[in-house]
């Protein structure tokens, strides 16, 4: 009886192994996705997120499903369950996206963003704007622990200031994102920082201190680049900034009291109120400010002659969920103050759901595991471990389209392997952050890339070349690994596999 049970168990294990696709087969859906996006993005341009990218993800998902079901006999129910689990994981992110849409409308129409822009134009000179922009977002993100909140609030205001000073949208967005993701990466309040440390079994502040080795050089180089670029590009005429500021002052009732909205939002974040609750309260306060400070704006939105309860309620609700446009006489300012509300987030949400479908079937079919096994084979020394982790993190970000899932998968994949190679868990947690957290925003179909492109109104491929901190971080991680700086190994680098034996204790 025992013999039969053992043989039956062995047979089941063999069946499971035979169902895992080979790496070459596993790459087919990914190649299909890349090929489709390579056609969709140039053809549709900025409108690629309106449907073309979503359909590409669904087609790639169907290719994955077809291979898994026809060639490897996977059941549809298991693949469907994989998609459902993946989509469930991003439900909070979808709610946050909707609330960010509400904030983008209420903060703009209440005069909060115009007030920040107005004072910013009188404070930040063009020559130091890009570096200051990066530094401000870094500080705010460290304090709040959220790159998304930083970009959706102060980032939007800084984008308006930069445009008024004549900077290209790509440069401004790059400075905003670089600073925001620096703070998100090292803040003890950041969910990605906590997730990376907990997944790898590293103490939080040990993880943060060790990250400074790669993070500080990356942000210093980034600030130097933005400083040089500011002096080379910051030659806008003073009259343009004055015109921009005066137009905002004429259109909105600007007041220092409006700055209480971002201050209260910051306080709510500092007391660790959940992000969804914080964003909801912030949008409600901003909505009240519209009634108090900008009744004439409500009248223009409602297109009525008098502002009564009905027209006021309609206009206020529209500012939260719908598109609004205001005429200022200046096309650039008209584009800046136009809002899309919650409805403006629907294309991004649609894209996220399609991306989660693709990541779900790739994971449930075993294709992700098959591909990542290739990375593991090359791990022999610390530098190869780090390079493999970086490659795996970038792959997961591309394939699963979600930074949280990518952090978990990369951390779990390499956790035991680092331990067997005598490498510290803090090296793994740092490399995961360097390769996953900061690069997620650079991938057009990743939830982070889609969100920030939507919030800032700047396409991912437009700001990507200027996100210097995000581009430098994985490179810096590999450079430091090759130097061996502050990397300890308790096992011989010549040995590999589970049979490795400790031969010395690192100093």
């Amino acid at each position: 009886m025992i013999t039969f049970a053992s043989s039956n168990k062995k047979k089941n294990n063999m069946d499971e192994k035979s169902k895992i696709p080979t790496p070459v087969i596993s790459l087919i859906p990914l190649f299909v996705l890349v090929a489709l996006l390579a056609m969709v993005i140039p053809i549709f341009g900025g409108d690629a997120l309106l449907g073309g990218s979503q359909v590409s993800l669904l087609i790639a998902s169907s290719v994955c499903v077809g291979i898994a079901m026809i060639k490897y006999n996977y059941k549809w129910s298991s693949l469907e369950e994989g998609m459902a689990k993946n989509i469930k994981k991003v439900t909070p992110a979808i709610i946050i996206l909707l609330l960010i849409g509400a904030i983008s409308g209420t903060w703009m129409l209440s005069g909060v963003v115009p007030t920040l822009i107005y004072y910013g134009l009188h404070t930040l000179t063009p020559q130091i704007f890009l570096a200051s922009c990066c530094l401000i977002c870094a500080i705010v993100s460290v304090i709040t622990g959220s790159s998304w909140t930083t970009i959706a609030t102060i980032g939007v205001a800084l984008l308006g200031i930069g445009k008024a000073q004549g900077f290209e949208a790509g440069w401004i967005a790059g400075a905003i994102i670089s600073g925001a993701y620096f703070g998100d990466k090292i803040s003890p309040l950041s969910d990605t920082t906590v997730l990376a440390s907990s997944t790898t079994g590293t103490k939080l502040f040990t993880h943060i201190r060790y990250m400074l080795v790669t993070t500080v050089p990356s942000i210093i180089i980034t600030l130097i680049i933005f400083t040089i670029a500011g002096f080379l590009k910051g030659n806008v005429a003073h009259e343009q900034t004055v015109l921009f500021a005066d137009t905002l002052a004429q259109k909105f009732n600007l007041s220092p009291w409006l700055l209480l909205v971002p201050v209260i939002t910051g306080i709510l974040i500092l007391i660790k109120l959940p992000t969804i609750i914080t964003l909801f309260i912030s949008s409600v306060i901003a909505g009240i400010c519209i009634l108090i400070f900008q009744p004439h704006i409500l009248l223009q939105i409602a297109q009525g002659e008098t502002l009564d309860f009905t027209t006021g309620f309609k206009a206020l609700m529209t500012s939260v969920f719908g598109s609004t446009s205001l005429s200022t006489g200046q096309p650039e300012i008209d584009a800046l103050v136009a809002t899309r509300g919650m409805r403006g987030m629907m294309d991004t949400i649609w894209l996220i759901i399609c991306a989660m479908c693709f990541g779900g079937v790739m994971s449930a079919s075993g294709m992700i595991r098959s591909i990542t096994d290739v990375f593991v084979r090359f791990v022999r020394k610390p530098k190869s471990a780090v390079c493999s982790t970086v490659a795996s993190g970038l792959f997961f970000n591309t394939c699963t389209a979600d930074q949280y899932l990518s952090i978990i998968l990369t951390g779990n994949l390499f956790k035991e392997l680092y331990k067997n190679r005598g490498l510290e868990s803090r090296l793994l947690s740092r490399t995961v952050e360097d390769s996953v957290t900061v690069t997620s925003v650079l991938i057009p179909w990743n939830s982070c890339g889609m969100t920030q492109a939507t919030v800032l109104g700047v396409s991912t491929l437009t700001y990507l070349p200027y996100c210097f901190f995000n581009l430098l971080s994985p490179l810096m991680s590999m450079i430091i690994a090759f130097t061996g700086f502050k990397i300890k190994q308790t096992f011989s680098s010549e040995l590999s596999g589970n049979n490795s034996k400790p031969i010395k204790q690192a100093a």
Side-chain angles (χ1 to χ4, degrees), residues 331-352:
E332 297 84 0
I333 302 179
D334 290 350
L336 173 66
V337 300
T339 67
R340 295 184 295 167
M342 289 182 167
R343 187 183 297 162
M345 296 294 170
M346 295 311 297
D347 287 323
T348 303
I349 291 172
W350 177 23
L351 190 55
I352 288 175

Side-chain angles (χ1 to χ4, degrees), residues 50-105:
L50 301 182
S53 298
Q54 289 90 327
V55 173
S56 299
L57 283 162
L58 292 178
I59 292 174
S61 300
S62 67
V63 171
C64 177
V65 169
I67 294 172
M69 293 181 69
I70 297 171
K71 184 173 177 60
Y72 296 97
N73 298 318
Y74 275 85
K75 293 181 179 180
W76 165 248
S77 58
S78 63
L79 299 174
E80 185 180 35
E81 184 181 359
M83 289 189 289
K85 286 182 178 179
N86 235 22
I87 293 172
K88 183 179 179 180
K89 291 175 182 176
V90 297
T91 301
I94 290 174
I95 298 173
I96 289 172
L97 267 176
L98 290 172
L99 289 173
I100 287 176
I103 279 184
S104 67

Side-chain angles (χ1 to χ4, degrees), residues 322-471:
S323 301
T324 65
S325 59
L326 303 174
S327 178
T328 64
Q330 299 292 331
E332 297 84 0
I333 302 179
D334 290 350
L336 173 66
V337 300
T339 67
R340 295 184 295 167
M342 289 182 167
R343 187 183 297 162
M345 296 294 170
M346 295 311 297
D347 287 323
T348 303
I349 291 172
W350 177 23
L351 190 55
I352 288 175
I353 292 173
C354 293
M356 292 304 104
C357 289
F358 178 68
V361 294
M362 285 290 289
S363 180
S365 63
M367 292 188 184
I368 286 181
R369 176 183 169 187
S370 177
I371 296 172
T372 52
D373 282 346
V374 176
F375 297 128
V376 174
R377 295 173 190 170
F378 295 101
V379 178
R380 293 291 181 272
K381 299 179 180 180
K383 57 186 178 182
S384 62
V386 170
C387 290
S388 295
T389 307
V390 169
S392 181
L394 291 171
F395 167 75
F396 280 131
N397 254 342
T398 303
C399 197
T400 67
D402 179 71
Q403 66 172 347
Y404 300 105
L405 184 59
S406 299
I407 289 172
I408 293 170
L409 289 173
T410 306
N412 287 332
L413 175 68
F414 286 92
K415 187 175 180 179
E416 287 301 317
L417 191 138
Y418 269 62
K419 183 179 179 180
N420 293 334
R421 298 297 188 272
L423 298 171
E424 296 178 301
S425 64
R426 64 176 185 170
L427 176 62
L428 174 58
S429 63
R430 183 182 75 185
T431 309
V432 168
E433 287 257 60
D434 286 339
S435 61
V436 177
T437 301
V438 298
T439 62
S440 58
V441 73
L442 305 179
I443 299 167
W445 57 89
N446 189 285
S447 57
C448 292
M450 292 182 284
T451 298
Q452 309 317 340
T454 302
V455 170
L456 295 174
V458 182
S459 70
T460 310
L461 297 180
T462 299
Y463 66 64
L464 188 154
Y466 308 104
C467 296
F468 299 112
F469 174 77
N470 306 70
L471 294 169

Side-chain angles (χ1 to χ4, degrees), residues 127-185:
Q127 287 73 25
I128 64 168
F129 171 74
L130 289 176
S132 299
C133 181
C134 181
L135 196 57
I136 290 169
C137 287
I139 294 171
V140 172
S141 192
V142 168
I143 295 172
T144 63
S146 173
S147 57
W148 283 32
T149 304
T150 300
I151 294 170
T153 52
I154 193 67
V156 173
L158 289 169
L159 184 69
I161 296 171
K163 286 183 177 179
Q165 294 185 342
F167 288 100
E168 298 170 10
W171 276 98
I172 309 167
I176 293 169
I177 291 170
S178 291
Y181 274 81
F182 164 81
D184 194 332
K185 183 182 175 186

